[in-house]
Amino acid sequence: MKDRLVIFDTTLRDGEQSPGASMTKEEKIRVARQLERMRVDVIEAGFAAASPGDFDAIHAIAEAIKESTVCSLARANENDIVRAGEAIRPAKIGRIHTFIATSPIHMEKKLRMTPDQVVEQAVKSIGWARSYTDNVEFSAEDAGRSELDFLCRIFEAVIKAGATTINVPDTVGYNLPSQFAETIKQLISRVPNADKVVWSVHCHNDLGLAVANSLAAVLAGARQVECTINGLGERAGNASLEEIVMAVRTRADVFPVETGVDATQIVPASKLVSQITGYPVQPNKAVVGANAFAHESGIHQDGVLKHRETYEIMRAQDVGWTQNKLVLGKHSGRNAFKTRLAELGIELASDEVLNAAFSRFKALADKKHEIFDEDLQALVSDETVTPEDEHYKLMYSRVCSETGETPEASLTLTIGGVEHKAGAVGGGPVDATFKAIETVVQSGAELLLYSVNAITTGTDAQGEVTVRLSRGERIVNGNGADTDIVIASAKAYLNALNKLHSSGDKVKAQGNV
Ligand code: KIV
Ligand code: ZN
């Protein structure tokens, strides 16, 4: 019997800390449901004290999720822990994850606390957390640059106080695999009662080593890995869930552990997170990149055709890749539509929402006669939009683009329900459209990124557009999909403006206590 490797997904917390990756409550619930379908053990649903929106999203996820543990992050102070405890209250299995920094540089320059004060605060925090749940995780932030003796001291104290999982984060992605493995080995052998807790690691990817460090730690005795879908996360991101899960499974000859993850749900999860956050997956990304199983060279193709394992160590279908399978067409009825959504794990809130989605499906099927799963995912993502999310809404758009002429866009928008007409010229049809929107909105935002991806193959595919805007301290991503990429672009731009319009002030997780 192999040990269980606990998969702790932090896409909704650390992943959401990527610039512009913030998600609405409904989007977070969709991601959480997909994580549960994938059978991850722990879902870190957010940081309850960060904002009322984060609190509500964690609370809603705690109500919705039944199989996975639902966790909230909390700094090591009473207020944060009370917020986390209240947010996870409805969870069938809930966890509070509290943390404080332990490296000399963080304690002295950021916390301005002595090591003794840090230990005292950590111990008190475990006590506060234990009054809500006996499932309490403690993290020593910046453990990767902390002194081993001090880590032993603080971990001994928090285990005594009742922590049940001890997390060792390489917060700034500074460690190397052999060094990090040695740290984990030393901690497990030196900390009293180490066998009473689960040892966890949380690695960032600043040197591209997050997955390697996490796997080295597993070989040294760690039994929980914190990771994110597509490796999303602060700066260069976190360890990527799909790479960890598939490494452990593919190299079962080396790892003395197994996960409970249903790997066939990996690609759907990757696509969902990419679509919601607007972070595209690079084509050559391991496991979930579009080229991860594509063999280009003749020699490789020949080898794979003769015997798949000549060049493939995993099977595409085992991680959820399907051929772009025709699922529905313009003659499909409401029932077939509803059934396919249910198979994809998509539950629409009411019959009214289902009817609205079905009319949009029919409109799409008129323009594009083969509808794939990816089209359905993009189509229903708009269904979670509430009127409050749509302060700016596109009603009508007309764009002229002609050889030798300057492209021109005319639009009708509603702003807070009031209709406005706008027009502008630009370097291209998308530029003209964005300029036309800005003539009435005057957002003062700066465009940081514009990207278009075809959702499926074929020239009638829907284009999925991502727009990243910044204004002051805030960065947001907007998405839009349509068979007409100029309309998809307008939708994405307005989606980003709507996110800027909604209040989104948050406390940053990596902060003072
Ligand atoms: O990177 C980090 O140290 C964290 C902690 C809050 C666990 O995200
Ligand atoms: Zn982190």
Side-chain angles (χ1 to χ4, degrees):
M1 267 288 274
K2 290 191 165 193
D3 282 358
R4 171 70 159 237
L5 179 64
V6 175
I7 297 294
F8 175 116
D9 180 278
T10 182
T11 307
L12 295 172
R13 199 277 298 169
D14 222 335
E16 210 214 8
Q17 287 173 216
S18 310
S22 58
M23 301 172 226
T24 63
K25 177 165 98 179
E26 286 71 25
E27 289 168 341
K28 287 185 181 180
I29 295 171
R30 279 180 70 199
V31 172
R33 286 195 196 279
Q34 177 59 26
L35 293 172
E36 183 179 46
R37 200 170 303 120
M38 200 162 69
R39 298 209 291 268
V40 308
D41 301 284
V42 187
I43 299 173
E44 187 162 56
F47 169 30
S51 71
D54 280 51
F55 179 93
D56 287 348
I58 300 167
H59 197 269
I61 291 169
E63 279 173 336
I65 297 299
K66 300 286 172 249
E67 303 295 328
S68 311
T69 300
V70 177
C71 170
S72 171
L73 184 70
R75 289 168 298 184
N77 68 55
E78 194 170 4
N79 176 60
D80 272 31
I81 291 169
V82 168
R83 296 293 283 163
E86 295 301 333
I88 61 156
R89 208 185 268 289
K92 195 157 167 232
I93 322 166
R95 174 182 294 188
I96 295 176
H97 173 193
T98 185
F99 73 98
I100 191 164
T102 52
S103 61
I105 182 170
H106 275 229
M107 290 192 289
E108 192 191 321
K109 306 282 183 216
K110 183 182 82 169
L111 299 178
R112 302 209 165 98
M113 288 170 78
T114 63
D116 286 348
Q117 288 170 324
V118 167
V119 175
E120 194 189 325
Q121 189 72 15
V123 167
K124 277 200 219 152
S125 301
I126 303 300
W128 294 317
R130 286 289 305 221
S131 69
Y132 287 93
T133 169
D134 53 12
N135 192 336
V136 176
E137 172 169 335
F138 174 76
S139 281
E141 189 191 6
D142 205 18
R145 293 187 300 170
S146 302
E147 285 161 6
L148 190 64
D149 287 346
F150 185 60
L151 285 179
C152 290
R153 176 177 162 206
I154 196 163
F155 288 153
E156 178 179 355
V158 294
I159 293 172
K160 204 161 157 205
T164 47
T165 297
I166 299 295
N167 186 36
V168 187
D170 184 18
T171 304
V172 293
Y174 179 70
N175 280 237
L176 302 177
S178 54
Q179 172 196 6
F180 196 54
E182 186 56 28
T183 302
I184 299 299
K185 212 167 107 199
Q186 289 288 331
L187 288 170
I188 295 177
S189 67
R190 285 179 49 185
V191 173
N193 294 316
D195 58 330
K196 307 277 185 309
V197 294
V198 174
W199 288 86
S200 167
V201 289
H202 172 115
C203 298
H204 279 269
N205 206 28
D206 299 68
L207 293 174
L209 292 170
V211 169
N213 284 339
S214 306
L215 293 174
V218 171
L219 291 175
R223 290 295 176 262
Q224 173 177 288
V225 171
E226 302 197 351
C227 44
T228 57
I229 303 292
N230 300 337
L232 199 67
E234 283 264 353
R235 309 181 307 281
N238 288 60
S240 102
L241 178 145
E242 56 279 4
E243 294 176 23
I244 301 280
V245 167
M246 290 317 289
V248 165
R249 177 169 155 164
T250 308
R251 297 309 309 271
D253 56 326
V254 174
F255 288 99
V257 294
E258 57 194 6
T259 76
V261 168
D262 173 1
T264 62
Q265 293 298 328
I266 284 178
V267 169
S270 162
K271 290 190 172 176
L272 181 67
V273 168
S274 167
Q275 186 221 328
I276 287 178
T277 59
Y279 268 68
V281 175
Q282 79 197 55
N284 56 332
K285 165 87 174 62
V287 185
V288 291
N291 292 349
F293 293 88
H295 299 277
E296 195 58 34
S297 98
I299 299 174
H300 287 206
Q301 286 174 353
D302 181 56
V304 169
L305 287 174
K306 285 182 176 141
H307 188 80
R308 188 187 58 77
E309 283 165 23
T310 49
Y311 287 99
E312 269 186 18
I313 57 167
M314 298 171 273
R315 292 192 318 169
Q317 61 268 42
D318 290 350
V319 295
W321 283 106
T322 50
Q323 297 289 332
N324 270 341
K325 216 171 28 137
L326 165 69
V327 287
L328 296 172
K330 77 191 253 178
H331 300 297
S332 308
R334 191 173 171 280
N335 219 3
F337 176 69
K338 189 178 170 190
T339 307
R340 189 60 200 155
L341 290 183
E343 281 163 8
L344 290 173
I346 300 168
E347 283 167 37
L348 296 180
S350 63
D351 271 0
E352 212 183 327
V353 175
L354 175 70
N355 291 341
F358 185 61
S359 341
R360 288 147 45 83
F361 159 74
K362 283 288 183 185
L364 180 63
D366 270 342
K367 292 192 252 170
K368 178 177 191 292
H369 59 262
E370 294 178 325
I371 308 283
F372 302 110
D373 286 344
E374 290 81 352
D375 293 312
L376 294 179
Q377 298 269 19
L379 189 118
V380 298
S381 72
D382 287 5
E383 289 308 323
T384 58
V385 172
T386 62
E388 304 84 75
D389 299 332
E390 283 215 299
H391 182 67
Y392 304 109
K393 191 170 175 185
L394 180 69
M395 306 305 287
Y396 166 83
S397 126
R398 181 169 175 277
V399 179
C400 290
S401 164
E402 207 179 323
T403 325
E405 298 294 328
T406 307
E408 201 181 329
S410 6
L411 313 169
T412 306
L413 305 178
T414 55
I415 305 184
V418 180
E419 223 172 82
H420 293 261
K421 291 199 186 308
V425 292
V430 172
D431 189 42
T433 302
F434 289 4
K435 285 187 172 138
I437 294 173
E438 280 298 341
T439 59
V440 285
V441 174
Q442 300 187 346
S443 69
E446 188 190 344
L447 179 69
L448 299 183
L449 174 136
Y450 169 79
S451 81
V452 193
N453 284 300
I455 293 185
T456 55
T457 51
T459 49
D460 67 347
Q462 293 196 81
E464 186 167 50
V465 175
T466 301
V467 164
R468 186 172 303 157
L469 297 180
S470 79
R471 189 171 60 200
E473 294 272 279
R474 286 191 73 196
I475 299 180
V476 294
N477 284 334
N479 306 307
D482 201 281
T483 48
D484 179 329
I485 59 162
V486 180
I487 294 178
S489 303
K491 286 185 186 169
Y493 196 82
L494 291 170
N495 182 233
L497 288 177
N498 280 319
K499 288 186 180 171
L500 276 182
H501 177 75
S502 69
S503 76
D505 294 336
K506 289 186 183 213
V507 175
K508 277 283 247 178
Q510 269 83 352
N512 293 334
V513 289

